[in-house]
Amino acid sequence: MKKRLGLLTLTTASLLIAACANTSTDDASQASGDDVEKNIQVTVNGELASLDSVSSTDTPSQTTIANVMEGLYRPADNGSNELGVAAEEPTISEDGLVYTFKIRDDANWSNGDPVTAEDFVYTFKKTVNPDTLGGNANKFYMIKNAQSIANGEGDVDTLGVKAIDDKTLEITLEQATPYFTDILAAPYYLPENHTVATELGSEYGTSAENTVYNGPYAVTDWNATEIEWTTTKNEEYWDVENVDIDQIKWVMSKENSTNVNLFEGGDLQYTEITTPYVQQYADSESLHVEPKGMIGSLEFNTTRTPTDNVHLHRAISQAFDRQAFVDAILADGSIPAGGWIPASFAANPETGEDFREENGTLTTFDVEAAQEEWALALEELGTDTLELELLTSDTDTSKATSEFLQAELQKNLPGLTITVRNVPLKSRQAITATKDFDIVYGTYTPSYADPTAFLDYFITDSPLSSGDFTDPTYDAYIEAAKTTDALDPAARWEDFLAAEKYLVQEAAPVVPIYQGAYASLIDPNLENVINQPNGVSQYYRAATYEVTE
C-alpha cells in the first residue's frame, strides 16, 4: 500500500471514511491464500436515496442498484450490454413489436426466491401506474399503452407486458424500436421481487433489510439516514463464482482533498476527482480519464415568472464562457457542450456523421448577443433589475460551478443578481419537486445511446424535467420521430436535429454547459471496474482486486 500523506486537519467525513476503511483493511489482512477477503472502499458524491429501482433517479442510488440488481441484460466490459437473467436473446415478431424472453432457471433472489417473469411485470406496471409513478416512467413509453397509463388515461393491466409462465416474459411495444434491448440493463428496467415489494409497499427499498437482491451484490448495511453503505457478494447470484470482490464499502464524500489524501493512504481504492488533482496525477498509473455521455446544464423553472421568459433563457445561455469553465473549474477531460446531445453519442444512420458535428454548436459565449436578449427580457418583465436564485447540490464541483456562473452572469448581464443555494442532493431533489426554485444546476447521464435518451427529457409531462417545460412545437418533432418517421431512419434523424435546435436556440429551457468525463483515482490492484459512457458507472461485477500487505 502507498504511504499515508500527513494531514494537518481531518474533516468529520475523512475520519469516518478512514475508520471504516481501516476496519475492512484489517479484516482482509487477517486472512491469507485463497481465503483472503477482498474488501474495498469507494466514494460517491451523494447520498443513497432509495433502493427502489422505480423511484430512484439520482446517480448514487442508480449506481448502487445496478450493482445489486440484474435485469434481462447486464453491463459488459466493452461499453455495451450482455445477457443477464435472460437465458438467451429474445424471439422477436416479424413486425418488431413483440419480444419474448426466457429467464434463467438458476436466477434467484437473495432470499432464495426464483426470479420470475411476474417480477418484471410487477415492476414495469409499478413504474407507469399513476399511483406509484416512477421518475423514469417516460423510458417505458415505447411499451404498449405505457404513456396513456402513466397519464391516467388507461388501465395499468393493459400495459404490454405479461408473464406467459414463471420463466417466460412477453413485452409488446407501441412501435418498432430497434434500440429496445440496449436499454434493458438500465437501472430503471431492473426488476423487484414482486412478493416482497407487494408485502412491504412504500417501505420497500427504504433500508437494506427492506429490499431483496438478484444481482452480484446485496446491500447489507444501510438505512435512509446513513451516508455510507455496504454491498456484499450475493451468494444466491447465478454467476457468483465469477464475482471476485467480497465486499464494497460505499461512502458519500464531497471533498476532493479528503478523498485524495485517503486514497494516498490506502484507505480508498476508487474515487472520482476534479481539478487540480487531475493535473497533479497526470503521470500517475492511478489516474483514469474516460468520456461520459453526460451533460451538465442549467434548467429554468418554466412554471412561473420571470424564469419562464425565453429572452432570459437565451441571455443566460450566451453570457458565460464554457471553455474557460471546463479549463478552470473542471479540468478533468470535460469539454464545452455544443448542444443538449453530447459528442460521440449518436451517429447519422446513413452517413455515420456524429450528431454533434452535424447539428453544430448551438450556443456560444457572445456577450453582445446575450445583452440584447437581456434587454428584451427586462423590457417584457417591466423591470431594470432582476434577482434570481441558482440551486445546486453541495458537492465541490457544484459549489465551484455556481460560483463561476454567479460571477460571469452578474458581470455580463448588468442589473442581474444571482444568489446561490447549495444543498444536499436529496434536498435539491425535494426542492425541485415542489417547484420552489428559479434555476437549478445538475447533470444528466442517460443509459442508452439514441437521441431520444436526451430529447425525451423535455417532452411535455416528462418526469425528468425539473422545470416542467412544455411546448407543442417541440413535442411534435419528437412525436414524428416516434410514429410517422419511426421506420424511416433518415427522416427520424432529421426530426431529432430539428428538435434539438429548437430546444437549445429557440425555447431554451435548458442551458447546456459541458460534456463530462470520468476522472478517477483507481488503486492499481483494482482492475476491470466498468464505467459505461452512457450507462452504469462503478459497476463491480467483473472487477478484480489483489490484496497486498
Side-chain angles (χ1 to χ4, degrees), residues 288-322:
H288 296 254
V289 179
E290 302 172 74
K292 281 184 184 179
M294 178 267 272
I295 293 292
S297 66
L298 300 178
E299 187 175 354
F300 297 95
N301 183 354
T302 62
T303 68
R304 68 187 190 189
T305 302
T307 48
D308 61 347
N309 187 281
V310 68
H311 296 295
L312 173 64
H313 300 174
R314 297 173 188 163
I316 288 178
S317 184
Q318 299 175 91
F320 64 95
D321 189 338
R322 289 165 175 79

Short mmCIF file of all heavy atoms in Angstrom, two decimals, residues 288-322:
data_model
loop_
_atom_site.label_atom_id
_atom_site.label_comp_id
_atom_site.label_asym_id
_atom_site.label_seq_id
_atom_site.Cartn_x
_atom_site.Cartn_y
_atom_site.Cartn_z
N HIS A 288 -7.35 7.59 -14.20
CA HIS A 288 -8.10 7.07 -15.34
C HIS A 288 -9.10 8.14 -15.78
O HIS A 288 -9.90 8.61 -14.97
CB HIS A 288 -8.85 5.79 -14.97
CG HIS A 288 -7.94 4.66 -14.60
ND1 HIS A 288 -7.72 3.58 -15.42
CD2 HIS A 288 -7.19 4.44 -13.48
CE1 HIS A 288 -6.88 2.75 -14.84
NE2 HIS A 288 -6.54 3.24 -13.67
N VAL A 289 -9.03 8.53 -17.04
CA VAL A 289 -9.97 9.52 -17.60
C VAL A 289 -10.73 8.86 -18.74
O VAL A 289 -10.13 8.37 -19.70
CB VAL A 289 -9.24 10.78 -18.09
CG1 VAL A 289 -10.25 11.76 -18.70
CG2 VAL A 289 -8.48 11.45 -16.96
N GLU A 290 -12.05 8.84 -18.62
CA GLU A 290 -12.90 8.20 -19.62
C GLU A 290 -14.08 9.13 -19.95
O GLU A 290 -14.57 9.84 -19.08
CB GLU A 290 -13.44 6.87 -19.09
CG GLU A 290 -12.36 5.89 -18.67
CD GLU A 290 -12.93 4.67 -17.97
OE1 GLU A 290 -13.51 3.82 -18.66
OE2 GLU A 290 -12.79 4.57 -16.75
N PRO A 291 -14.52 9.15 -21.21
CA PRO A 291 -15.62 10.04 -21.59
C PRO A 291 -16.95 9.60 -21.00
O PRO A 291 -17.18 8.42 -20.76
CB PRO A 291 -15.65 9.92 -23.12
CG PRO A 291 -15.10 8.56 -23.39
CD PRO A 291 -14.05 8.33 -22.34
N LYS A 292 -17.80 10.58 -20.77
CA LYS A 292 -19.16 10.33 -20.31
C LYS A 292 -20.15 10.82 -21.36
O LYS A 292 -19.93 11.85 -21.99
CB LYS A 292 -19.46 11.11 -19.02
CG LYS A 292 -18.94 10.54 -17.74
CD LYS A 292 -19.44 11.41 -16.59
CE LYS A 292 -18.89 10.97 -15.25
NZ LYS A 292 -19.36 11.84 -14.15
N GLY A 293 -21.24 10.12 -21.50
CA GLY A 293 -22.36 10.63 -22.29
C GLY A 293 -23.24 11.46 -21.38
O GLY A 293 -24.44 11.23 -21.26
N MET A 294 -22.63 12.45 -20.74
CA MET A 294 -23.30 13.25 -19.70
C MET A 294 -23.22 14.73 -20.04
O MET A 294 -22.21 15.20 -20.54
CB MET A 294 -22.63 12.99 -18.34
CG MET A 294 -23.22 13.80 -17.18
SD MET A 294 -22.32 15.34 -16.90
CE MET A 294 -21.06 14.77 -15.79
N ILE A 295 -24.28 15.45 -19.75
CA ILE A 295 -24.32 16.90 -19.92
C ILE A 295 -24.61 17.56 -18.58
O ILE A 295 -25.55 17.18 -17.88
CB ILE A 295 -25.39 17.31 -20.95
CG1 ILE A 295 -25.03 16.82 -22.34
CG2 ILE A 295 -25.59 18.83 -20.94
CD1 ILE A 295 -23.81 17.49 -22.96
N GLY A 296 -23.78 18.54 -18.23
CA GLY A 296 -24.06 19.41 -17.10
C GLY A 296 -24.77 20.65 -17.61
O GLY A 296 -24.35 21.23 -18.62
N SER A 297 -25.84 21.06 -16.94
CA SER A 297 -26.65 22.13 -17.51
C SER A 297 -27.38 22.92 -16.43
O SER A 297 -27.46 22.52 -15.26
CB SER A 297 -27.69 21.54 -18.47
OG SER A 297 -28.63 20.75 -17.75
N LEU A 298 -27.94 24.04 -16.86
CA LEU A 298 -28.90 24.81 -16.07
C LEU A 298 -30.30 24.55 -16.62
O LEU A 298 -30.48 24.46 -17.83
CB LEU A 298 -28.60 26.31 -16.15
CG LEU A 298 -27.25 26.79 -15.66
CD1 LEU A 298 -27.12 28.30 -15.88
CD2 LEU A 298 -27.06 26.46 -14.18
N GLU A 299 -31.27 24.45 -15.72
CA GLU A 299 -32.65 24.29 -16.16
C GLU A 299 -33.50 25.36 -15.46
O GLU A 299 -33.36 25.60 -14.26
CB GLU A 299 -33.18 22.90 -15.83
CG GLU A 299 -34.55 22.63 -16.41
CD GLU A 299 -35.04 21.21 -16.19
OE1 GLU A 299 -34.26 20.38 -15.67
OE2 GLU A 299 -36.20 20.92 -16.54
N PHE A 300 -34.35 26.00 -16.23
CA PHE A 300 -35.21 27.06 -15.71
C PHE A 300 -36.55 26.50 -15.24
O PHE A 300 -37.10 25.58 -15.84
CB PHE A 300 -35.48 28.11 -16.79
CG PHE A 300 -34.26 28.83 -17.27
CD1 PHE A 300 -33.59 28.40 -18.41
CD2 PHE A 300 -33.77 29.94 -16.59
CE1 PHE A 300 -32.46 29.05 -18.87
CE2 PHE A 300 -32.63 30.60 -17.03
CZ PHE A 300 -31.97 30.16 -18.17
N ASN A 301 -37.08 27.09 -14.20
CA ASN A 301 -38.44 26.78 -13.75
C ASN A 301 -39.41 27.52 -14.64
O ASN A 301 -39.62 28.72 -14.50
CB ASN A 301 -38.62 27.20 -12.29
CG ASN A 301 -39.98 26.83 -11.74
OD1 ASN A 301 -40.85 26.35 -12.46
ND2 ASN A 301 -40.17 27.04 -10.45
N THR A 302 -40.01 26.81 -15.59
CA THR A 302 -40.90 27.46 -16.56
C THR A 302 -42.34 27.57 -16.07
O THR A 302 -43.21 27.99 -16.83
CB THR A 302 -40.87 26.71 -17.91
OG1 THR A 302 -41.35 25.38 -17.72
CG2 THR A 302 -39.46 26.67 -18.48
N THR A 303 -42.57 27.22 -14.81
CA THR A 303 -43.93 27.29 -14.28
C THR A 303 -44.26 28.66 -13.70
O THR A 303 -45.39 28.88 -13.28
CB THR A 303 -44.15 26.23 -13.18
OG1 THR A 303 -43.35 26.56 -12.03
CG2 THR A 303 -43.78 24.85 -13.68
N ARG A 304 -43.27 29.57 -13.66
CA ARG A 304 -43.52 30.87 -13.04
C ARG A 304 -42.65 31.96 -13.68
O ARG A 304 -41.65 31.68 -14.32
CB ARG A 304 -43.27 30.81 -11.54
CG ARG A 304 -41.81 30.62 -11.14
CD ARG A 304 -41.71 30.40 -9.64
NE ARG A 304 -40.32 30.44 -9.17
CZ ARG A 304 -39.96 30.11 -7.94
NH1 ARG A 304 -40.87 29.70 -7.07
NH2 ARG A 304 -38.69 30.19 -7.56
N THR A 305 -43.09 33.20 -13.46
CA THR A 305 -42.35 34.37 -13.91
C THR A 305 -41.32 34.74 -12.82
O THR A 305 -41.63 34.61 -11.63
CB THR A 305 -43.32 35.54 -14.14
OG1 THR A 305 -44.29 35.12 -15.12
CG2 THR A 305 -42.61 36.78 -14.62
N PRO A 306 -40.12 35.17 -13.20
CA PRO A 306 -39.65 35.56 -14.54
C PRO A 306 -38.94 34.44 -15.31
O PRO A 306 -38.54 34.64 -16.44
CB PRO A 306 -38.66 36.67 -14.22
CG PRO A 306 -38.04 36.23 -12.93
CD PRO A 306 -39.16 35.59 -12.15
N THR A 307 -38.76 33.26 -14.67
CA THR A 307 -37.92 32.24 -15.30
C THR A 307 -38.61 31.48 -16.42
O THR A 307 -38.04 30.52 -16.96
CB THR A 307 -37.38 31.26 -14.23
OG1 THR A 307 -38.45 30.83 -13.39
CG2 THR A 307 -36.31 31.93 -13.39
N ASP A 308 -39.82 31.91 -16.79
CA ASP A 308 -40.47 31.34 -17.98
C ASP A 308 -40.19 32.19 -19.21
O ASP A 308 -40.67 31.89 -20.30
CB ASP A 308 -41.97 31.20 -17.76
CG ASP A 308 -42.66 32.54 -17.50
OD1 ASP A 308 -41.96 33.54 -17.23
OD2 ASP A 308 -43.90 32.58 -17.54
N ASN A 309 -39.40 33.25 -19.05
CA ASN A 309 -39.16 34.19 -20.14
C ASN A 309 -38.06 33.67 -21.07
O ASN A 309 -36.93 33.44 -20.65
CB ASN A 309 -38.75 35.55 -19.58
CG ASN A 309 -38.65 36.61 -20.65
OD1 ASN A 309 -37.66 36.68 -21.37
ND2 ASN A 309 -39.67 37.44 -20.76
N VAL A 310 -38.40 33.49 -22.35
CA VAL A 310 -37.46 32.89 -23.29
C VAL A 310 -36.25 33.78 -23.55
O VAL A 310 -35.13 33.29 -23.80
CB VAL A 310 -38.18 32.53 -24.61
CG1 VAL A 310 -38.61 33.79 -25.36
CG2 VAL A 310 -37.31 31.65 -25.48
N HIS A 311 -36.43 35.11 -23.50
CA HIS A 311 -35.28 36.01 -23.71
C HIS A 311 -34.30 35.90 -22.55
O HIS A 311 -33.08 35.99 -22.75
CB HIS A 311 -35.77 37.45 -23.88
CG HIS A 311 -36.62 37.66 -25.10
ND1 HIS A 311 -36.13 37.50 -26.38
CD2 HIS A 311 -37.93 37.98 -25.23
CE1 HIS A 311 -37.10 37.74 -27.25
NE2 HIS A 311 -38.20 38.02 -26.58
N LEU A 312 -34.81 35.68 -21.36
CA LEU A 312 -33.94 35.45 -20.20
C LEU A 312 -33.14 34.17 -20.42
O LEU A 312 -31.93 34.12 -20.15
CB LEU A 312 -34.78 35.34 -18.93
CG LEU A 312 -34.04 34.92 -17.66
CD1 LEU A 312 -33.00 35.96 -17.27
CD2 LEU A 312 -35.02 34.69 -16.52
N HIS A 313 -33.79 33.13 -20.90
CA HIS A 313 -33.11 31.86 -21.17
C HIS A 313 -31.94 32.08 -22.14
O HIS A 313 -30.82 31.63 -21.90
CB HIS A 313 -34.08 30.86 -21.80
CG HIS A 313 -35.26 30.52 -20.95
ND1 HIS A 313 -36.29 29.72 -21.41
CD2 HIS A 313 -35.59 30.86 -19.68
CE1 HIS A 313 -37.19 29.59 -20.46
NE2 HIS A 313 -36.80 30.27 -19.41
N ARG A 314 -32.23 32.75 -23.24
CA ARG A 314 -31.21 32.95 -24.28
C ARG A 314 -30.09 33.85 -23.78
O ARG A 314 -28.91 33.64 -24.14
CB ARG A 314 -31.85 33.55 -25.52
CG ARG A 314 -32.90 32.66 -26.19
CD ARG A 314 -33.59 33.42 -27.30
NE ARG A 314 -34.73 32.67 -27.84
CZ ARG A 314 -35.69 33.22 -28.58
NH1 ARG A 314 -35.64 34.52 -28.87
NH2 ARG A 314 -36.69 32.48 -29.04
N ALA A 315 -30.43 34.83 -22.97
CA ALA A 315 -29.40 35.74 -22.43
C ALA A 315 -28.41 34.97 -21.57
O ALA A 315 -27.18 35.08 -21.74
CB ALA A 315 -30.06 36.86 -21.64
N ILE A 316 -28.92 34.19 -20.65
CA ILE A 316 -28.05 33.44 -19.74
C ILE A 316 -27.23 32.41 -20.50
O ILE A 316 -26.04 32.20 -20.21
CB ILE A 316 -28.88 32.80 -18.62
CG1 ILE A 316 -29.36 33.90 -17.66
CG2 ILE A 316 -28.10 31.72 -17.88
CD1 ILE A 316 -30.24 33.42 -16.53
N SER A 317 -27.82 31.80 -21.53
CA SER A 317 -27.12 30.78 -22.29
C SER A 317 -25.87 31.32 -22.98
O SER A 317 -24.89 30.59 -23.16
CB SER A 317 -28.06 30.17 -23.33
OG SER A 317 -27.43 29.12 -24.03
N GLN A 318 -25.89 32.62 -23.34
CA GLN A 318 -24.77 33.20 -24.09
C GLN A 318 -23.85 34.08 -23.24
O GLN A 318 -22.92 34.69 -23.77
CB GLN A 318 -25.32 34.02 -25.26
CG GLN A 318 -26.13 33.20 -26.25
CD GLN A 318 -26.76 34.05 -27.32
OE1 GLN A 318 -26.17 34.27 -28.38
NE2 GLN A 318 -27.96 34.55 -27.06
N ALA A 319 -24.09 34.13 -21.93
CA ALA A 319 -23.41 35.12 -21.09
C ALA A 319 -22.22 34.57 -20.30
O ALA A 319 -21.70 35.27 -19.43
CB ALA A 319 -24.42 35.76 -20.13
N PHE A 320 -21.78 33.35 -20.60
CA PHE A 320 -20.61 32.82 -19.89
C PHE A 320 -19.77 31.97 -20.84
O PHE A 320 -20.26 31.43 -21.83
CB PHE A 320 -21.03 32.01 -18.66
CG PHE A 320 -21.81 30.77 -18.97
CD1 PHE A 320 -21.18 29.53 -19.08
CD2 PHE A 320 -23.19 30.82 -19.15
CE1 PHE A 320 -21.89 28.38 -19.36
CE2 PHE A 320 -23.92 29.67 -19.44
CZ PHE A 320 -23.26 28.45 -19.55
N ASP A 321 -18.50 31.86 -20.52
CA ASP A 321 -17.52 31.20 -21.36
C ASP A 321 -17.37 29.74 -20.95
O ASP A 321 -16.79 29.43 -19.92
CB ASP A 321 -16.18 31.93 -21.23
CG ASP A 321 -15.15 31.45 -22.23
OD1 ASP A 321 -15.27 30.33 -22.73
OD2 ASP A 321 -14.20 32.22 -22.50
N ARG A 322 -17.89 28.84 -21.76
CA ARG A 322 -17.84 27.42 -21.44
C ARG A 322 -16.41 26.86 -21.46
O ARG A 322 -16.08 25.99 -20.66
CB ARG A 322 -18.73 26.64 -22.41
CG ARG A 322 -20.22 26.88 -22.18
CD ARG A 322 -21.05 26.39 -23.37
NE ARG A 322 -22.48 26.53 -23.10
CZ ARG A 322 -23.15 27.67 -23.19
NH1 ARG A 322 -22.52 28.79 -23.55
NH2 ARG A 322 -24.45 27.73 -22.93
#
